[in-house]
PDB file of all heavy atoms in Angstrom:
ATOM      1  N   GLY X 527      -7.824  34.936  18.128  1.00 87.00           N
ATOM      2  CA  GLY X 527      -6.609  34.456  17.478  1.00 87.00           C
ATOM      3  C   GLY X 527      -6.889  33.686  16.203  1.00 87.00           C
ATOM      4  O   GLY X 527      -6.083  33.692  15.268  1.00 87.00           O
ATOM      5  N   ASP X 528      -8.040  33.015  16.126  1.00 85.00           N
ATOM      6  CA  ASP X 528      -8.402  32.251  14.929  1.00 85.00           C
ATOM      7  C   ASP X 528      -9.042  33.119  13.850  1.00 85.00           C
ATOM      8  O   ASP X 528      -9.282  32.644  12.736  1.00 85.00           O
ATOM      9  CB  ASP X 528      -9.398  31.128  15.300  1.00 85.00           C
ATOM     10  CG  ASP X 528      -8.747  30.046  16.148  1.00 85.00           C
ATOM     11  OD1 ASP X 528      -7.511  29.962  16.141  1.00 85.00           O
ATOM     12  OD2 ASP X 528      -9.484  29.300  16.821  1.00 85.00           O
ATOM     13  N   SER X 529      -9.342  34.365  14.190  1.00 87.00           N
ATOM     14  CA  SER X 529     -10.074  35.224  13.256  1.00 87.00           C
ATOM     15  C   SER X 529      -9.114  36.019  12.372  1.00 87.00           C
ATOM     16  O   SER X 529      -7.908  36.031  12.576  1.00 87.00           O
ATOM     17  CB  SER X 529     -10.991  36.185  14.025  1.00 87.00           C
ATOM     18  OG  SER X 529     -10.215  37.133  14.740  1.00 87.00           O
ATOM     19  N   ALA X 530      -9.704  36.696  11.370  1.00 86.00           N
ATOM     20  CA  ALA X 530      -8.958  37.599  10.490  1.00 86.00           C
ATOM     21  C   ALA X 530      -9.823  38.826  10.244  1.00 86.00           C
ATOM     22  O   ALA X 530     -10.973  38.894  10.681  1.00 86.00           O
ATOM     23  CB  ALA X 530      -8.622  36.895   9.178  1.00 86.00           C
ATOM     24  N   ALA X 531      -9.263  39.808   9.528  1.00 87.00           N
ATOM     25  CA  ALA X 531     -10.005  41.052   9.288  1.00 87.00           C
ATOM     26  C   ALA X 531     -11.272  40.801   8.476  1.00 87.00           C
ATOM     27  O   ALA X 531     -12.241  41.550   8.580  1.00 87.00           O
ATOM     28  CB  ALA X 531      -9.103  42.052   8.562  1.00 87.00           C
ATOM     29  N   THR X 532     -11.282  39.738   7.688  1.00 87.00           N
ATOM     30  CA  THR X 532     -12.459  39.443   6.854  1.00 87.00           C
ATOM     31  C   THR X 532     -13.408  38.443   7.523  1.00 87.00           C
ATOM     32  O   THR X 532     -14.420  38.067   6.939  1.00 87.00           O
ATOM     33  CB  THR X 532     -12.012  38.864   5.505  1.00 87.00           C
ATOM     34  OG1 THR X 532     -11.170  37.724   5.737  1.00 87.00           O
ATOM     35  CG2 THR X 532     -11.267  39.911   4.695  1.00 87.00           C
ATOM     36  N   THR X 533     -13.077  38.004   8.736  1.00 89.00           N
ATOM     37  CA  THR X 533     -13.882  36.993   9.433  1.00 89.00           C
ATOM     38  C   THR X 533     -14.683  37.640  10.551  1.00 89.00           C
ATOM     39  O   THR X 533     -14.110  38.079  11.562  1.00 89.00           O
ATOM     40  CB  THR X 533     -12.971  35.900  10.034  1.00 89.00           C
ATOM     41  OG1 THR X 533     -12.116  35.388   9.030  1.00 89.00           O
ATOM     42  CG2 THR X 533     -13.805  34.777  10.626  1.00 89.00           C
ATOM     43  N   PRO X 534     -16.006  37.726  10.437  1.00 92.00           N
ATOM     44  CA  PRO X 534     -16.790  38.279  11.549  1.00 92.00           C
ATOM     45  C   PRO X 534     -16.829  37.309  12.730  1.00 92.00           C
ATOM     46  O   PRO X 534     -16.786  36.087  12.537  1.00 92.00           O
ATOM     47  CB  PRO X 534     -18.189  38.452  10.938  1.00 92.00           C
ATOM     48  CG  PRO X 534     -18.248  37.459   9.834  1.00 92.00           C
ATOM     49  CD  PRO X 534     -16.847  37.328   9.299  1.00 92.00           C
ATOM     50  N   ILE X 535     -16.883  37.858  13.915  1.00 94.00           N
ATOM     51  CA  ILE X 535     -17.011  37.045  15.130  1.00 94.00           C
ATOM     52  C   ILE X 535     -18.414  37.282  15.675  1.00 94.00           C
ATOM     53  O   ILE X 535     -18.786  38.417  15.986  1.00 94.00           O
ATOM     54  CB  ILE X 535     -15.939  37.415  16.172  1.00 94.00           C
ATOM     55  CG1 ILE X 535     -14.542  37.251  15.558  1.00 94.00           C
ATOM     56  CG2 ILE X 535     -16.078  36.556  17.420  1.00 94.00           C
ATOM     57  CD1 ILE X 535     -13.411  37.734  16.435  1.00 94.00           C
ATOM     58  N   ILE X 536     -19.192  36.213  15.767  1.00 94.00           N
ATOM     59  CA  ILE X 536     -20.628  36.322  16.059  1.00 94.00           C
ATOM     60  C   ILE X 536     -20.932  35.735  17.426  1.00 94.00           C
ATOM     61  O   ILE X 536     -20.676  34.543  17.670  1.00 94.00           O
ATOM     62  CB  ILE X 536     -21.447  35.583  14.976  1.00 94.00           C
ATOM     63  CG1 ILE X 536     -21.069  36.096  13.583  1.00 94.00           C
ATOM     64  CG2 ILE X 536     -22.938  35.739  15.227  1.00 94.00           C
ATOM     65  CD1 ILE X 536     -21.445  35.157  12.461  1.00 94.00           C
ATOM     66  N   PHE X 537     -21.466  36.554  18.322  1.00 93.00           N
ATOM     67  CA  PHE X 537     -21.946  36.072  19.618  1.00 93.00           C
ATOM     68  C   PHE X 537     -23.405  35.642  19.452  1.00 93.00           C
ATOM     69  O   PHE X 537     -24.265  36.478  19.152  1.00 93.00           O
ATOM     70  CB  PHE X 537     -21.863  37.167  20.684  1.00 93.00           C
ATOM     71  CG  PHE X 537     -20.462  37.551  21.072  1.00 93.00           C
ATOM     72  CD1 PHE X 537     -19.921  38.768  20.676  1.00 93.00           C
ATOM     73  CD2 PHE X 537     -19.679  36.708  21.835  1.00 93.00           C
ATOM     74  CE1 PHE X 537     -18.635  39.140  21.033  1.00 93.00           C
ATOM     75  CE2 PHE X 537     -18.383  37.064  22.203  1.00 93.00           C
ATOM     76  CZ  PHE X 537     -17.865  38.280  21.806  1.00 93.00           C
ATOM     77  N   VAL X 538     -23.684  34.361  19.644  1.00 92.00           N
ATOM     78  CA  VAL X 538     -25.066  33.868  19.610  1.00 92.00           C
ATOM     79  C   VAL X 538     -25.611  33.979  21.035  1.00 92.00           C
ATOM     80  O   VAL X 538     -25.146  33.289  21.938  1.00 92.00           O
ATOM     81  CB  VAL X 538     -25.135  32.420  19.102  1.00 92.00           C
ATOM     82  CG1 VAL X 538     -26.595  31.983  18.960  1.00 92.00           C
ATOM     83  CG2 VAL X 538     -24.411  32.284  17.768  1.00 92.00           C
ATOM     84  N   LEU X 539     -26.567  34.877  21.214  1.00 89.00           N
ATOM     85  CA  LEU X 539     -27.029  35.211  22.559  1.00 89.00           C
ATOM     86  C   LEU X 539     -28.055  34.204  23.077  1.00 89.00           C
ATOM     87  O   LEU X 539     -28.725  33.515  22.306  1.00 89.00           O
ATOM     88  CB  LEU X 539     -27.654  36.607  22.563  1.00 89.00           C
ATOM     89  CG  LEU X 539     -26.758  37.756  22.083  1.00 89.00           C
ATOM     90  CD1 LEU X 539     -27.541  39.063  22.076  1.00 89.00           C
ATOM     91  CD2 LEU X 539     -25.520  37.881  22.963  1.00 89.00           C
TER      92      LEU X 539
END
Side-chain angles (χ1 to χ4, degrees):
D528 291 341
S529 69
T532 55
T533 307
I535 303 173
I536 306 161
F537 292 108
V538 185
L539 303 177

